[in-house]
Amino acid sequence: MVSSLLSFLALSTTFLTFSRALSVRPVDDDDLSALLEASEGFVAPQAASPARSSHRLALRPRERVLAAQPVNAKVESLVDVNSPPSGPDPFDYVGDDLLSLADQVREVVDTDHPVLKMAASHFFSLKSGKKFRPTIVMLISRAAAAAANSGADVGDSVSYKDVDDMPSADVYDKQRRLGQITEMIHTASLIHDDVLDDAETRRGGDSVHKLYSNKVAVLAGDFLLARASVLLAQLGNVEVVETMANALDSLVTGEVMQAKAEPDDLTTFDWYMKKTYMKTASLIACSTRSAALLGGFASTSEETVAAEKYGYHLGLAFQIVDDLLDFTQSADLLGKPACSDLNNGQATAPILFAAEEYPELNAMIRRKFKQPGDVDRARKLLERSKGLERTKSLARWHAQQAVEWLSVLPDSPARRALVKLGNRVIVRTS
Ligand code: FPP
Ligand code: MG
């Protein structure tokens, strides 16, 4: 049974690889320059940094259209993400809508196989976990709904509190499902990632493969993904299915990029940002775009573009902060080993910035910090450098971009909660 499932998975992977080769054309220079537009405003704290030219990511054809969309000119800068306006707490505002998420996932992954069921629902049974992704989906759904409801418009002098940001019940229900699907995909990818990285802990507890076995973890991740795909199809929106399928494609591509990286790739900021987009930001951007599509907005509408851009920049900010915290926080706070990136041979933003000041780091990055003493030396050089400070600035820049995209939506409780979330992402400590 297990072996036939594994052969099925191997076949599906081959099929996916083959169909990708047919349908996704390689990234070209136009793609890169289009995305550069989105990041061009960022000036790294150290001027003349070679990393500056590399804040560019590969764009899919659809995203090229998005990059051409102007931000609504009525509001130049919505708010400073460092000091967000008053408004509801992001997690509280939609908390009730997500209360039963864990129970719903447990229902969705119900199967006759008790081990598979337990493994697939493991992370959903933990009390910890902020449900970051579903929260963003619900908030963006509501912020976009404010644009559709009543006559609220950008720049209106109505108090944000009086703006109705609730979508219709059937639409909101689908958007809630989308939040659940997003969390299931994310969790599936982490279960697989922990197998690949041989990580013992996750979210403060044992990883699934440590609790069970590699085979069970691989199947549990596949199973979650399979059930998420059924739910996705049930949303009955082809564009949403395509968007979320793109997110899956990016997740796998990011993981393959990491596994197959050439030594020179590892030292380039461009490669790091692409991988960060693929592994983290794409799922968030695709889910926020999908939320707007489910809300009835057209794929190139300002609202859909803003939703996707918010997710895109917030996702990048989130991961860059994650990479920062990996150096600055203890394992207890992180719920996984501290400094794991260096120990796993990964050079992230802090080290890449530090390497501009201390080029001797490049050799260590290329050999994945494998020589005895590399990890300690790299940490010492990082401490002496401006690497951490510059990483923080990069994360802040992306968080600021995220909230600026919200300016095309009317002021509403949900929009304020999204701004606060942007702030939360850059000030978080775990
Ligand atoms: C964490 O990376 C991993 C990801 C964000 C994505 C992993 C994706 C896959 C394994 C591809 C398969 C995808 C699916 C949907 C089954 P990390 O190791 O850099 O971060 P960590 O410190 O949290 O482990
Ligand atoms: Mg990992």
Side-chain angles (χ1 to χ4, degrees):
M1 171 67 182
V2 168
S3 69
S4 60
L5 259 174
L6 286 174
S7 352
F8 167 71
L9 289 172
L11 268 176
S12 326
T13 313
T14 314
F15 171 72
L16 273 176
T17 313
F18 183 59
S19 34
R20 276 199 63 220
L22 288 179
S23 61
V24 182
R25 66 174 180 74
V27 171
D28 60 23
D29 281 351
D30 280 354
D31 292 335
L32 291 175
S33 24
L35 188 57
L36 183 58
E37 273 177 39
S39 301
E40 194 55 38
F42 174 70
V43 179
Q46 291 291 296
S49 145
R52 192 180 173 285
S53 64
S54 61
H55 299 129
R56 312 186 297 182
L57 304 172
L59 277 186
R60 303 296 159 100
R62 192 196 71 245
E63 289 165 297
R64 287 209 293 173
V65 177
L66 301 184
Q69 301 278 325
V71 182
N72 189 315
K74 284 186 209 162
V75 184
E76 287 253 303
S77 183
L78 175 68
V79 68
D80 180 0
V81 74
N82 296 310
S83 47
S86 58
D89 175 90
F91 295 97
D92 289 349
Y93 194 56
V94 292
D96 283 352
D97 305 331
L98 297 172
L99 271 182
S100 52
L101 186 126
D103 295 334
Q104 282 165 2
V105 172
R106 265 192 294 274
E107 252 170 56
V108 169
V109 297
D110 199 12
T111 159
D112 288 343
H113 198 305
V115 172
L116 192 55
K117 182 178 169 177
M118 277 193 294
S121 55
H122 172 65
F123 288 126
F124 295 93
S125 314
L126 300 177
K127 287 272 171 285
S128 61
K130 275 268 181 201
K131 300 177 197 148
F132 180 67
R133 288 160 184 80
T135 299
I136 299 176
V137 169
M138 301 324 307
L139 288 175
I140 207 87
S141 298
R142 293 185 68 160
N149 293 347
S150 67
D153 199 3
V154 177
D156 279 358
S157 54
V158 185
S159 160
Y160 79 91
K161 289 183 186 157
D162 297 330
V163 173
D164 174 15
D165 61 13
M166 189 48 115
S168 68
D170 58 326
V171 165
Y172 200 48
D173 200 50
K174 285 189 173 185
Q175 289 164 325
R176 200 185 349 243
R177 280 274 157 183
L178 173 70
Q180 180 184 346
I181 292 163
T182 307
E183 193 66 6
M184 287 170 76
I185 294 174
H186 171 61
T187 305
S189 78
L190 294 183
I191 293 175
H192 281 188
D193 179 71
D194 287 341
V195 174
L196 291 168
D197 291 350
D198 201 16
E200 309 224 331
T201 52
R202 170 72 68 185
R203 292 182 181 164
D206 285 333
S207 56
V208 171
H209 75 102
K210 281 289 157 202
L211 277 173
Y212 302 94
S213 67
N214 277 359
K215 280 186 185 173
V216 167
V218 169
L219 288 173
D222 287 336
F223 182 52
L224 263 177
L225 197 55
R227 291 284 158 104
S229 308
V230 174
L231 289 182
L232 182 59
Q234 285 171 352
L235 293 178
N237 185 316
V238 178
E239 266 192 301
V240 170
V241 172
E242 188 187 341
T243 302
M244 296 305 286
N246 266 321
L248 285 177
D249 177 45
S250 295
L251 277 175
V252 179
T253 305
E255 199 65 22
V256 173
M257 269 177 87
Q258 189 165 305
K260 298 271 174 205
E262 296 292 331
D264 278 349
D265 293 334
L266 300 172
T267 59
T268 53
F269 219 97
D270 197 14
W271 184 89
Y272 161 76
M273 289 300 284
K274 261 187 214 167
K275 185 199 69 171
T276 303
Y277 167 71
M278 297 288 180
K279 284 186 63 175
T280 308
S282 67
L283 178 60
I284 300 176
C286 289
S287 65
T288 48
R289 169 183 162 79
S290 297
L293 291 171
L294 288 173
F297 297 98
S299 62
T300 53
S301 67
E302 274 191 330
E303 291 82 0
T304 304
V305 174
E308 180 166 4
K309 289 289 190 179
Y310 177 86
Y312 165 81
H313 284 292
L314 196 79
L316 289 177
F318 182 83
Q319 186 57 48
I320 293 165
V321 169
D322 227 54
D323 294 343
L324 181 79
L325 294 177
D326 194 61
F327 286 100
T328 56
Q329 294 299 19
S330 67
D332 272 1
L333 270 174
L334 295 176
K336 56 185 183 184
C339 222
S340 61
D341 290 335
L342 274 192
N343 288 313
N344 288 330
Q346 294 297 320
T348 54
I351 290 287
L352 292 171
F353 278 132
E356 288 171 22
E357 288 172 69
Y358 298 100
E360 71 173 277
L361 277 165
N362 285 317
M364 294 182 223
I365 297 172
R366 281 199 186 86
R367 61 177 180 253
K368 297 190 170 184
F369 311 97
K370 284 286 183 294
Q371 215 156 285
D374 276 357
V375 170
D376 283 347
R377 177 81 185 139
R379 290 188 70 168
K380 284 209 178 78
L381 291 175
L382 173 63
E383 271 166 36
R384 277 187 226 157
S385 77
K386 297 215 160 37
L388 294 174
E389 207 178 306
R390 293 179 68 192
T391 302
K392 217 177 269 178
S393 299
L394 181 60
R396 277 180 199 280
W397 184 83
H398 278 291
Q400 183 65 39
Q401 291 302 302
V403 303
E404 300 223 353
W405 274 100
L406 296 176
S407 65
V408 307
L409 305 173
D411 199 3
S412 69
R415 190 180 88 166
R416 292 203 172 201
L418 284 166
V419 175
K420 280 195 165 178
L421 193 61
N423 175 264
R424 212 62 77 75
V425 160
I426 51 175
V427 300
R428 75 193 173 102
T429 53
S430 64

